[in-house]
Amino acid sequence: MTRVIILLILKRIRKCFVDNGLDFKYIVSMPFSQDDLNKFKGLYIETARQYLENMLIHIASLMTEQTEESLYGMRIAAHSLTGQSKVAGYEQIGNLSSMIEQIFTDRTEASPAFSIEKLQQIKVGIEKMLKSVEEIEKGGEEVDLSEEIKNLKL
């Protein structure tokens, strides 16, 4: 329960930073000891996996019908994963999920539907982030996501 409260507090602090035009990197760069990070690792893995699984469900739905519900669900899951990944020090996951969030934030109702190819690229990125979370859980490092980031920039 304490971990959930801490994450909620961090989200509120981030919102205060953003609302006041301040760079959230200041809080992300706060020195966390390895002990602190290890305490949050289990919670991070659990919630990151949930966000990624939700993103896969929304992507599958978007490949058949691009509803506002699934578009919004993708954006919110990517946004949440971005914040917690950057706070926990998992920059690659944070950067890729931030890019996915931006893709869905930039879309307006007047925008054309996403191509199946673009949705497939996003799906590959989500699946790779899931592999990265599995590696982190095993005690390893993040998986290199630079190729997926590069592909989404195109």
Side-chain angles (χ1 to χ4, degrees):
M1 184 63 167
T2 303
R3 291 183 218 177
V4 173
I5 292 170
I6 290 170
L7 284 176
L8 289 173
I9 290 170
L10 286 173
K11 280 185 174 184
R12 285 193 178 182
I13 291 171
R14 181 184 186 281
K15 183 175 176 358
C16 288
F17 269 65
V18 172
D19 288 350
N20 290 295
L22 300 172
D23 192 345
F24 184 62
K25 291 177 186 170
Y26 294 119
I27 194 167
V28 173
S29 65
M30 287 176 18
F32 284 106
S33 70
Q34 192 58 46
D35 231 18
D36 291 334
L37 290 175
N38 287 337
K39 289 177 189 174
F40 296 116
K41 185 177 175 181
L43 180 61
Y44 170 79
I45 290 165
E46 178 185 331
T47 55
R49 193 173 277 133
Q50 288 172 355
Y51 292 133
L52 290 164
E53 288 170 358
N54 284 341
M55 290 168 75
L56 285 173
I57 290 167
H58 289 301
I59 276 291
S61 174
L62 289 168
M63 286 185 180
T64 59
E65 182 183 2
Q66 296 190 16
T67 65
E68 288 303 314
E69 180 182 346
S70 287
L71 293 165
Y72 180 75
M74 277 296 294
R75 187 173 63 80
I76 293 302
H79 172 79
S80 299
L81 181 60
T82 297
Q84 81 171 31
S85 295
K86 291 197 175 203
V87 167
Y90 300 114
E91 289 296 316
Q92 296 245 357
I93 295 173
N95 290 339
L96 182 53
S97 59
S98 176
M99 181 171 280
I100 293 170
E101 174 189 0
Q102 196 60 50
I103 288 168
F104 286 91
T105 299
D106 289 347
R107 188 192 177 281
T108 66
E109 287 187 27
S111 301
F114 289 111
S115 69
I116 294 297
E117 180 182 294
K118 185 63 150 185
L119 293 172
Q120 192 62 39
Q121 287 175 331
I122 294 169
K123 181 181 178 195
V124 167
I126 295 167
E127 289 169 342
K128 190 94 178 251
M129 285 189 285
L130 266 171
K131 287 181 184 171
S132 192
V133 168
E134 289 170 10
E135 284 301 312
I136 293 166
E137 185 175 33
K138 293 177 190 173
E141 299 287 319
E142 282 184 277
V143 171
D144 180 17
L145 300 171
S146 58
E147 188 68 27
E148 288 70 25
I149 291 170
K150 185 180 93 175
N151 289 339
L152 284 180
K153 284 184 181 177
L154 300 176

